[in-house]
Structures are given as structure tokens and as C-alpha cells.
Amino acid sequence: MGRNDMSEQANSQIQAASPSFETEVDILTIEHPLREAARMFARNKAAVGGLILLVGILILTLVVPFFYTVDPFDLVWAPLSPPGTENAPFGTDYLGRDILAGIVHGGSATLAVGASAALLAVVIGLSVGSLAGYYGGWVDEVLMRITEFFQVLPTLLFAMVIVALFRPSVATVAFAIGVVSWTAVARLARSEFLRIRSLDYIKAARSISSSNRRIIWLVILPNAMPPLVVQATLAVGGAILFEAGLSFLGLSDPNVMSWGFMIGSSRDYLMDAWWTVTIPGIFIFLTVLSVSLIGDGLNDATNPKLRER
Amino acid sequence: MTEETLLSIENLKVHFPLKTRGFSAPKSFVHAVDGIDLKIAKGKTFGIVGESGSGKTTTALAVMRLVPITSGAITLGDQRLDRLEGEELRRARRHMQIIFQDPYSSLNPRVRAGAIVREPMDLMDVGEKSEREDLVAELFRQVGLRPEQQALFPHQFSGGQRQRIGVARALASQPDLVVCDEPVSALDVAIQAQIINLLRKLQAELGLTYLFISHDLGVVQYICDDIAVMYLGKIVEMGDRISLFKEPLHPYTWALLSAVPSADPALRDRADRIRLQGDPPSPIDPPPGCGFASRCPFSQALCTMEAPQLRTIRTGHSVACHFVSDDGVPPQRKI
Amino acid sequence: MAEPLLEIKDLRVEFDTRDGVATVIDGLDISLYPGEILGIVGESGCGKSMTALSIMRLVPVPPGRIAKGTIRLDGEDLLQVSEKRMRGVRGNAISMIFQEPMTSLNPVFSVGDQIAETILLHEGGSKRAAWQRAVEMLDAVGIPVPEVRAREYPHQMSGGMRQRVMIAMALACQPRVLIADEPTTALDVTVQAQIFDLLKDLQKKTGAVIVLITHDMGAIAEMAQRVVVMYAGRKVEDGPVDEILTNPKHPYTTGLIGCVPHLSADPSEERVPLTDIPGVVPPMTRLGQGCPFAPRCSEAMDKCRLEMPTQSVVGEDHRVSCWLIENDGP
Ligand SMILES: Nc1ncnc2c1ncn2[C@@H]1O[C@H](COP(=O)(O)OP(=O)(O)OP(=O)(O)O)[C@@H](O)[C@H]1O
Ligand SMILES: Nc1ncnc2c1ncn2[C@@H]1O[C@H](COP(=O)(O)OP(=O)(O)OP(=O)(O)O)[C@@H](O)[C@H]1O
Ligand code: SF4
Ligand SMILES: [Mg+2]
Ligand SMILES: [Mg+2]
């Protein structure tokens, strides 16, 4: 009784002593994790640079085509004119096609292949990895054997086979790239699910009768998201490079202009007309760079270990 | 005095298979819990102490049906928990809840505190939907948080406050049994006292029964009514708090008591303190005989051949050691 | 009293954080006398490890810095000497063991190699002699069959064994000061008791001064002769252990002793509620100019919130920083 009184009294005294002591702490630290991540991201100069770069590239490939209406397949000037030529500021290729037009109109195909291939890789990888990591045991064994099988396949060769079997088109190329590059996502998702599955809040979720479906989708997945988002951005970059590689080997839709196609079709002129290959190459480089800078920034921003102290 | 038993465990075994390389290799098992019996009276606190790896957490998780049970019976009230599956198990979970050790990993970082406490009510149909909001606010008050803190995320609380959220979540389904797995071990001493006082207050108010796990003998002595000492998956001694601490019988219990650094000079300078050598043996395919034999200062040939059974020495006090005499003289006092 | 071996005076350590400058240690005075074990207790975050790191001059710079003060070892101010000289002091005159032995041992070298390496680094000599000494050290810390164990890797050992290896390594060069930062928190009580016995034994044999950092008053009672109680980076009370345990003056010390249920050989039926120190340690960036404990103190007065208490001497070698003492007189 006496003791309780004392601590009651102590409590009220503390409140009197510094009425805002506890609330102050709360208000100062009140911040949604997503908002905190956004703030951390904004503090990262490289990541913000990457974001600006990507926005610039998106404008170039999605908006500029409406203003710069030169058809990238039209022969506009003398073949292999160097950059700075009137009418063709980036020069022309071996047929006299405007390289600037190629850059402007070909970007969307490149980005579309990159994004949809990455999406496919994430969907397959996430499904395989989450099931393997969550259920473990023989499910894990089987799924991981399959993953290993895809991992040891020579990816470029396998993608070439797929593209050659079907007609090369944006969709088949995206499909082929997606099918060969999901394994990294699957491994990451598996390890994240394995890690989180053993945490106490999953036991807590089970002890309050949550179903497996609920635990996988509503409890583990949101917590596994940060590294997966990073992995997805890396997959986008990888897919763009892959598309360039396939095009370079002549395995892309000849009727659709893309940066990879530009490099692929001009590869024989690299020595005589560097700009025909280098200019689209620079744009691919900038795109991949911007996406991986953003990925890095997201990683840092969502990694609690790097926050604060 | 008749006491109603709330939880009873009979010959519980939990063995984890070890990953084996190849198919022909014989399977090894971790004997995490290797045949324990205990009974917890309604409204009481039952403590389990023991070395790291002795199977305390595994016992708790088995009671919660969160690890596969190898054999044995667990009865809560009049329900055989070990036999429940599917929908029945889901419904039974209401009656038992757990508080974890680590206040950081036990709360989903993406869910607000209020939702964490409300979730069990929604999933297990506690009360009317319309009442739940008030119930959550009331729980927050009961565990010493302010209801307006419901909107915060776990990382915005201190360790002690997070543990309070964990307590509120455990109480949300109005359980009979609350399993506390080292609920204060990860907290600072001053915060420990806050949580211990809270748990005692809640028990008095709500008539809760606790299965309380800890490796801190001081805490166990303070909060528990009956205590089991575990070593290598088995209970080596069990008794009420007065009897167990006044007259410990098993050499391991005695060693444990001797090892606790004490502020009490009387306890510190006792001449008959014993010190153990070495580390506990591995629970993987343990040898026959007394699990403590390899470290026990009193072990003899019999100890390594035959496992001592838990026998009752006096009311409410039993021990598993060959060399405790039937009238309760432990080996250390003879020497 | 004898001359102190190591003397910390008016130490101040600051950290740059998002919320401004955090003064994690302020106005700290600690003296170490030859042949003693000194305990440092306090809640998590009160600056115990930072004190140890300051002595080793291992405070991470930036974001941290030692802003003020002197740390004299035999009259030499360690905060002024060159980094090169400091490397000679670390692991040699002063060495340290940490809470988690696994992270402070290198997983890819055998433990014998690691101890021998330390010896070679500080004392030179032949590889063979160093290895021999390493085996002797392992023997001295009670590792059975040391010749064999020396060839093992850290992951092959139990937590208690690893902590023994850490102690062997720390003692390899006969340090005069050994700082043990919560050396047993990761261990079982029975193993903790072994480590404590070992430390006491070695202290008697080598005469090294031991600084034992812990949050367990029981461990202090068992091990130390003198104790420093810290709160929020400040020393609130220090004195002989028996005196502090039986006659604590600072409300925080009283709380620290009363809030733990101490194991008793003769428990009674009745159980009084534990002393409740409400609230938590305030963030170091937002300490006012008053006593840092005032917001949690049941005895706080207006003066406490406005002015930092000064140190008063309340007994032989017993000092307290609290306005209550000032008011009552010693
Ligand atoms: N899922 C598992 N698979 C295999 N072995 C396990 C598993 N869970 C626990 N174990 C083993 O079972 C034994 C008992 O573990 P348990 O966690 O119950 O010990 P504990 O008494 O709670 O210890 P602590 O004090 O360290 O928490 C240990 O040896 C542990 O390694
Ligand atoms: N890199 C850092 N940046 C900012 N503050 C820091 C940093 N490192 C430590 N601190 C702060 O310094 C203070 C003292 O920390 P210290 O590690 O000395 O505490 P401690 O008493 O050893 O606690 P514990 O018992 O948890 O080990 C803490 O408040 C901590 O938040
Ligand atoms: S049975 Fe033998 S080994 Fe086991 S505790 Fe008793 S005396 Fe020791
Ligand atoms: Mg455990
Ligand atoms: Mg520390």
C-alpha cells in the first residue's frame, strides 16, 4: 500500500516535473517508416541524382517523341554522317537513319522490355522463393533444385533458344529474359522468408490463429519488401543490358526500334562510325546507372542498420 | 486446500530431427524436451529455470502448439491440446497466449501498436466488433500505455513499452494461460521491475495463470509459486518456492544457486558453494544415465548407467537424483 | 590512499547525432588504484562502454569525440600521446575484453595463432616462443588440454571457452589495467561463475587492476571493492561496495538495488512490490541543465530540475552528486 502510494506519487510528480517528457519523445520520433525511408532517400545525393536522371530519360522516351516526330526508320541524310550534321544532330547510321530519332523513339521499347522482364522475374522469383522459404522441408528441396537448374543453364544461350523458337518480338524477348533471370530474386526471397519466418512476431501471428496465407502475404511479404525492391531495380538494369546483348546478336524484332537494336545493327561500323554504337550505348549506360543508383539508395534508405547512429 | 489444475503436461517429448547428409546416414535427434511432467494450478505462476539450451523455450512452444510434439499429453482445462488440429486448434488458441523475450523481434514492425493488440480479437472473435475499439483502449491503459499511443509503430517505443504492447496483445483474447518466455531478460533492470510489477498486478486483477520461463533465479524466486529446474531436456527438481530455495536437493540446483552473484553477504560467503566445471553436454542423442553426470561433483558409476527418476521427497517437492536420500538429504551435505 | 594508477578527470565525450550534439559522458572523474577491482554499473546507454572506449582511445571519431578531460596512466595523459604510442599502450598496458567474444575473435585463425600474434606484435621474439606462451596462457585461464585446444577455431568452442580465450589474449602481455565490458552477459550463470572466479584469481596472481562493467549489482557485490554508479553519462555515486550496498545515498542507486529481486536463501511468503523507477533514460540530446535523473526521481525538488547537483563527500571515499545530500548535510 505504502509502496504503491509512493510510486503513484512519483508518477504524478514526474508528470509535474516535466509534463512533456514522454510526449516529447513520442512526437519527435513519430514518423511513418515509409516517410522515414523517403527522407533518408532524399538525403542520399547519388540516389537523388539517379532519380533525376531516370525522370529525364523517361521524359526523353515518353514525351519527346510527340515533339520530335522524325521516323527512326526513315533515311534522312547521307549514311554515316557524324554528329553535328544539320538535320541529324547525333549523326546517321549506315543506312542514313537519324540516330537522334532512334534514341528518342527506341527508348520506350528498351524500357518496356527491361521493366516487363524484371516484373516477370520478380513474380516468378517471389512465388518460388517465398514458398520455399516459408514451408521449408521437401517443398524447399524441390523448388531449390528447380532454381539451381535454371541457375546453371547458360542464360544467354537459353534466352537465344526461346527467342529463336518464337518470333523475336518485344514480348518474347521480355519473356526470355524474365525466364532466365528470376533465380536471383528467388534466392533472395527465400532467404528473407527463412529469416523472417523464425522471428517471434511470426510465432505470435500463429499463436493468434493467423492462417498461412495471411502470414505469407500480410505479415512476411511487407517485411521482406525492401531488399526485394532493390533486387527488382537491379533486375531492370540487368534486363536492359540483356536486351542489348540479344539485339547485338541480331535476336530482336527488326521492325521495332530499340537502343539494343541500334547497337546490334551497327556493330560492323564501330570502327568507322563510333557514334552509331556509342550514342545508344551511352543511353543504355545512363539508364542502367540511374536504376541502380536508385536501387542502392532504396537499399540504404530501407536498411534499418544504416539509419540513425 | 483444493487447487484446480489448469495445465497439465505428461511425459512431453519434443525431438528435432537433425539434417542428415545422404539417405543412408542414421537420423540424429536433438532431444530438446525429453519427457517432462508438470501441473500448473489455476491462478498460480509456475516457473521453469535452467541453463541455456535445456529446453525451456521448447516446452513453452509445445504448450502453445508452435512446435511439433513428439509424444506426450498436454491438457489445458479439459482439452487435450496435443490432439487438436485445424479449426479446433484455432479456437483453442484463444485460451493460451505467449509473451516473448525479445521486445524487438516480437512485434511486426509494419503494424501500428493499436492494430497489433486488436488483431487477436478480430482473428479469434473476441467480443462484439463494436466493442473492440474500447477493449483495445482499455488494454492499453491496463498495461500502462496511453490509448493515444495506438497510432504509433513499434520502433517508436522503448524496449519496456514494446514489452507492454506484447503483454497487451497476449491479453487481448482474454486467455486463461499466459506463457511468458523470459519476458524481462532483454530489458534493463529498472524496466524489468516495471514489467514484473505489471505482470503481478494483472495476475491479481484478472486471475491469470502464468507459465514463467527465466534463467534469472532471483526473478523466478520472486514471481513464481512453483518452480521446475530443467537440465538437458529433463526436470531435475521441482518444488514450491519456499521449499526449493530453502532446501535445494539436486546438485545442479545447488550449483545454480551457488553461481548467482549475490548482494547478500550471507549467501555469498557460504562455505558449501559448489562450482561446476565445463559446459553442459549436447542434447543431440544424449547418453543414457543422469544428464548431469558429466559435471556433477557427486556422480558415481550408477549415474552414467541409469537415469534417475523424478521422485517425491515431500509434499510438493520432487527430485531426480540417485543420491538424494528418501528423507531428503542431498549428497552435498553428506560430504 | 595510494597514488592512483589510472586517473580520469573531467572527461567529456560528445557525439554528433541527427538531433544535435549528444553529450554521452560529462564531467566524469574515476580513479583506479593498484590491486583493486572497480565496478561500473548503470542502465543501458548510460555510457559505461563509452568510458571504457575513452580509456582505450577507441571512441569512434567521427561522429564522436573526446571533447575535454585527461586520462592519466602513471602521469602520462593518454589523450595527448600520439596514435603510435597509443597502439603500444593498447593490448599491452591496458587491454579489454568484450561482451560478445564471437565477434571479437577472428573466425579464420586458430585461437592459439591469435594469441601468439598479439604477443609477437607487442613483445616480438620468436614465433615458437609466442606459440608456447599462447598455450601457457590458455592453460592459465583453465582451458583443458591447451596444446590441442590452441589449434581450434573460435566456432568450435562454447561461449564460455571463447570468453576464456579472450581473457587469455587480453592478459597475454601482462596488462596493468584490464577492462571487462559485460564479459558474462552472453553466458549462463554457472559459466559466469567460472569466469568470475577466473578473473578474481588472475587479479590476485598478476596484480592487474580490473574494471568490471556490468548492470548486475550482484556481480559488483561479488567481485568489486569499489563501485561507480553512472546515469546518463554522469557519475552519480561512487564508493566502497559494501558501503554503497548497505547505505546508498543517491535515489538512483537505491532504485537500482531495490528494483532487482535479489535471490535469498530464505525466501518469505510475503513479496513486496519491487521499487519502481518509472520512465526511461532520457535521450542524451535532450538533457536539461538540471540533474539528469530528476524526471524519474521520486524525491526531485525544484532545484534539481534547474541546476546540476555538485558532488559531496558523504563518507570515507564515498561521494554522491545529489541535491538531497547537500540539503541534509553529510
Ligand atoms: N527448431 C529446432 N531445430 C533443431 N533444434 C532445436 C530447434 N529449436 C531448439 N532446438 C534445440 O533444442 C535445445 C533446447 O532449446 P531451447 O530453445 O528450448 O532452450 P532454452 O532452454 O529455451 O535455452 P535459452 O535459455 O538459450 O533460451 C537446444 O539445444 C536447441 O539448439
Ligand atoms: N555512434 C554513436 N552515435 C551517437 N550516439 C552514440 C553512438 N555510440 C554510442 N552512442 C550513445 O552513447 C551513449 C552511451 O553508450 P554506451 O555504449 O557507453 O552505453 P552502455 O552504458 O555501455 O550501455 P549498454 O549497457 O547497453 O552496453 C548511449 O546513449 C548511446 O546512444
Ligand atoms: S544422479 Fe548422480 S550425476 Fe545425477 S545429479 Fe545425482 S549424483 Fe549427480
Ligand atoms: Mg529460450
Ligand atoms: Mg555497453
Side-chain angles (χ1 to χ4, degrees), chain B residues 92-143:
Chain B
R93 287 200 183 280
R94 250 198 92 157
H95 304 296
M96 50 197 197
Q97 285 296 304
I98 181 164
I99 302 169
F100 295 96
Q101 168 173 6
D102 181 1
Y104 288 88
S105 73
S106 59
L107 303 179
N108 185 344
R110 306 245 159 185
V111 182
R112 289 174 199 275
I116 288 177
V117 176
R118 173 161 181 150
E119 210 177 5
M121 300 183 186
D122 290 339
L123 287 173
M124 297 189 285
D125 296 321
V126 179
E128 291 299 316
K129 248 207 178 90
S130 53
E131 298 172 355
R132 287 182 195 153
E133 201 170 309
D134 294 336
L135 284 176
V136 173
E138 176 53 28
L139 271 171
F140 264 68
R141 240 173 265 122
Q142 264 182 332
V143 300

Side-chain angles (χ1 to χ4, degrees), chain A residues 124-300:
Chain A
I124 303 176
L126 191 58
S127 320
V128 170
S130 60
L131 292 178
Y134 184 74
Y135 287 104
W138 66 266
V139 179
D140 185 26
E141 289 282 319
V142 171
L143 289 176
M144 278 298 113
R145 286 294 102 74
I146 296 175
T147 309
E148 274 161 24
F149 171 76
F150 275 90
Q151 241 177 344
V152 297
L153 277 182
T155 44
L156 191 60
L157 219 63
F158 185 56
M160 284 167 67
V161 171
I162 297 180
V163 177
L165 277 180
F166 306 94
R167 204 173 40 81
S169 72
V170 171
T172 47
V173 170
F175 174 77
I177 297 174
V179 164
V180 299
S181 50
W182 57 268
T183 53
V185 181
R187 293 209 154 261
L188 184 70
R190 173 176 178 270
S191 71
E192 279 296 291
F193 268 68
L194 263 182
R195 179 181 68 81
I196 297 172
R197 182 184 71 160
S198 67
L199 293 179
D200 284 343
Y201 64 82
I202 303 303
K203 293 197 193 87
R206 285 171 62 200
S207 70
I208 58 171
S209 302
S210 307
S211 60
N212 284 335
R213 269 221 332 265
R214 186 183 170 88
I215 293 177
I216 293 178
W217 297 115
L218 297 181
V219 185
I220 305 187
L221 187 61
N223 284 294
M225 239 24 231
L228 288 171
V229 167
V230 175
Q231 186 65 36
T233 59
L234 294 179
V236 172
I240 291 174
L241 289 174
F242 213 108
E243 190 264 349
L246 285 177
S247 305
F248 185 81
L249 297 171
L251 286 167
S252 63
D253 190 342
N255 303 315
V256 176
M257 181 56 67
S258 77
W259 296 343
F261 173 79
M262 292 170 75
I263 296 179
S265 60
S266 300
R267 61 175 179 250
D268 296 338
Y269 305 91
L270 178 59
M271 291 303 168
D272 312 316
W274 56 268
W275 57 91
T276 53
V277 173
T278 312
I279 292 179
I282 288 173
F283 277 88
I284 288 176
F285 168 74
L286 290 178
T287 310
V288 174
L289 178 71
S290 69
V291 172
S292 40
L293 283 178
I294 292 172
D296 258 8
L298 284 176
N299 188 25
D300 292 356

Side-chain angles (χ1 to χ4, degrees), chain B residues 194 221-222 246 275-276 279, chain C residues 194 197 264 266 271 277:
Chain B
Q194 296 170 7
Q221 180 184 63
Y222 177 75
K246 251 191 191 151
R275 279 291 191 258
L276 292 182
D279 303 302
Chain C
Q194 296 169 10
D197 283 351
S264 141
D266 188 13
R271 288 171 264 182
I277 309 180

Side-chain angles (χ1 to χ4, degrees), chain B residues 160-181:
Chain B
Q161 288 177 319
R162 285 162 151 264
Q163 206 58 315
R164 289 175 195 267
I165 300 173
V167 173
R169 171 178 60 195
L171 297 185
S173 67
Q174 299 161 359
D176 306 314
L177 175 74
V178 179
V179 175
C180 312
D181 186 7

